[in-house]
Amino acid sequence: GENVEQHPSTLSVQEGDSAVIKCTYSDSASNYFPWYKQELGKRPQLIIDIRSNVGEKKDQRIAVTLNKTAKHFSLHITETQPEDSAVYFCAVPDFMDSSYKLIFGSGTRLLVRP
Amino acid sequence: NAGVTQTPKFRILKIGQSMTLQCAQDMNHNYMYWYRQDPGMGLKLIYYSVGAGITDKGEVPNGYNVSRSTTEDFPLRLELAAPSQTSVYFCASSPRQATNEKLFFGSGTQLSVL
């Protein structure tokens, strides 16, 4: 099955700085790469996703980049704000057994210091 | 349109007791999932379903059972509860379409086994 590794586990940045979170995966057949944000005590919510036919996708202050050759993708948050403080999860599809399920990374706790 | 509804929100069980966590979605999604999230940890897939009558094991299925008799409902059954099952449980659904693979999460059930 798919193996997903996410780094770093915690990240502390000053407000206004950029934050980068990286995920690596094992199955070269994976073709869909979402990022979820989970605020304290809340449910995870999709913030951005990318498909394998695209190298980069941006949505205001967040972007995701994909390197299929190296099998890793990254979340970039620019001009960080205190409300960006949360846990971020990457996910990768696992197609084992001809089925489909999303496997999540272990999460990155981002703290934006005012 | 309520999305994904989970009940109960909180529950305390004694060791050896059983219970069913309810999950219902009103978006006509074929794909449904159960994840557990231990404190400070990531999301681990327990069971999933690709349609009514079809279920399959995820990463951590031991101690749980599921059924999917309708498209809307996907209950998770805990038999003989153990302290190791103390966790937050999230149900999720997805349309799993070529242009939309977003997971819609319920608000979660916080379960303590004492």
Side-chain angles (χ1 to χ4, degrees), chain B residues 9-47:
Chain B
K9 293 191 182 301
F10 303 95
R11 183 71 184 269
I12 298 175
L13 282 182
K14 293 182 179 179
I15 295 173
Q17 287 186 319
S18 301
M19 76 164 294
T20 299
L21 281 66
Q22 301 292 344
C23 176
Q25 53 94 7
D26 61 359
M27 297 173 283
N28 200 33
H29 288 170
N30 282 326
Y31 283 71
M32 295 189 75
Y33 306 85
W34 275 105
Y35 289 91
R36 61 175 285 175
Q37 185 175 35
D38 297 338
M41 303 294 284
L43 297 154
K44 292 295 184 182
L45 182 64
I46 306 171
Y47 270 95

Side-chain angles (χ1 to χ4, degrees), chain A residues 36 38 51 99-100 102, chain B residues 35 37 48 96 101 103 105:
Chain A
Y36 284 78
Q38 185 179 30
R51 296 193 178 276
S99 190
Y100 176 94
L102 270 185
Chain B
Y35 289 91
Q37 185 175 35
Y48 66 103
R96 181 67 177 99
E101 300 186 52
L103 280 186
F105 283 88

Side-chain angles (χ1 to χ4, degrees), chain A residues 48-67:
Chain A
I48 196 168
D49 56 13
I50 193 170
R51 296 193 178 276
S52 58
N53 58 346
V54 177
E56 182 177 6
K57 183 177 179 180
K58 289 183 179 180
D59 183 2
Q60 299 181 357
R61 295 186 298 106
I62 61 173
V64 55
T65 58
L66 171 65
N67 185 327

